[in-house]
Amino acid sequence: MILLDSLDRQLISLLRADGRAPVSRLAEALKVSRATVQARLDRLIESGAILGFTVRAEERRAGEGVRAITLIEVSGASTSAVIRALRGLPEITALHTTNGAWDLVAEVHADSLADLDRILREMRTVEGVLNSETSILLRSVQ
């Protein structure tokens, strides 16, 4: 396991915001050389601290579609297999492990209630999923 220092954490934070940021822009933001950023990136990738880079799709505009949170109970030691299967559903925008009665929390974005119904049925058919409970997000308050 690698110990992350402040520069590593700042670099990871910048990459979370923009995984395609050029090394030169990262170096400028961190006030270090390009070689330092590249060396840190190489070390973080090699150590497994950075598992990969991903595409972030445009978020749906407020009022479009249906957003929901689904709590998922998983049987025994099948959590890894369930996570792999759920990652294959593009409507699941985030997946979290948790404690308590539920094992996973999924953030779901659907185009309509009918689409949400379809997604929930697909989630329930994943081998290892024992139970689920879904709450539709009505509006965001700040």
Side-chain angles (χ1 to χ4, degrees):
M1 175 155 184
I2 185 173
L3 293 176
L4 302 179
D5 64 15
S6 175
L7 184 60
D8 292 330
R9 287 190 294 276
Q10 289 174 30
L11 177 57
I12 290 170
S13 177
L14 289 171
L15 289 170
R16 280 188 176 132
D18 182 2
R20 294 184 50 168
V23 172
S24 59
R25 188 167 5 126
L26 295 169
E28 182 179 321
L30 296 169
K31 297 179 178 30
V32 296
S33 71
R34 291 178 75 247
T36 298
V37 170
Q38 190 62 58
R40 293 291 180 120
L41 275 173
D42 292 344
R43 183 176 57 83
L44 291 168
I45 291 167
E46 185 178 317
S47 71
I50 293 179
L51 299 175
F53 299 86
T54 186
V55 172
R56 290 183 350 173
E58 177 184 1
E59 292 294 325
R60 301 181 198 285
R61 286 183 226 117
E64 289 187 11
V66 179
R67 295 181 312 134
I69 298 294
T70 300
L71 305 171
I72 303 163
E73 181 183 4
V74 176
S75 66
S78 63
T79 303
S80 294
V82 169
I83 289 171
R84 279 192 301 276
L86 293 177
R87 280 186 177 155
L89 298 175
E91 297 88 355
I92 295 179
T93 58
L95 193 58
H96 313 275
T97 58
T98 188
N99 66 325
W102 302 102
D103 300 300
L104 299 171
V105 176
E107 297 177 40
V108 181
H109 287 206
D111 291 329
S112 64
L113 287 174
D115 195 33
L116 178 62
D117 181 53
R118 175 192 57 79
I119 296 160
L120 295 176
R121 276 184 278 121
E122 286 182 33
M123 291 170 68
R124 285 187 218 108
T125 63
V126 170
E127 185 155 346
V129 171
L130 292 177
N131 192 15
S132 67
E133 180 179 312
T134 299
S135 294
I136 295 173
L137 302 175
L138 300 175
R139 71 182 174 101
S140 296
V141 293
Q142 297 185 19

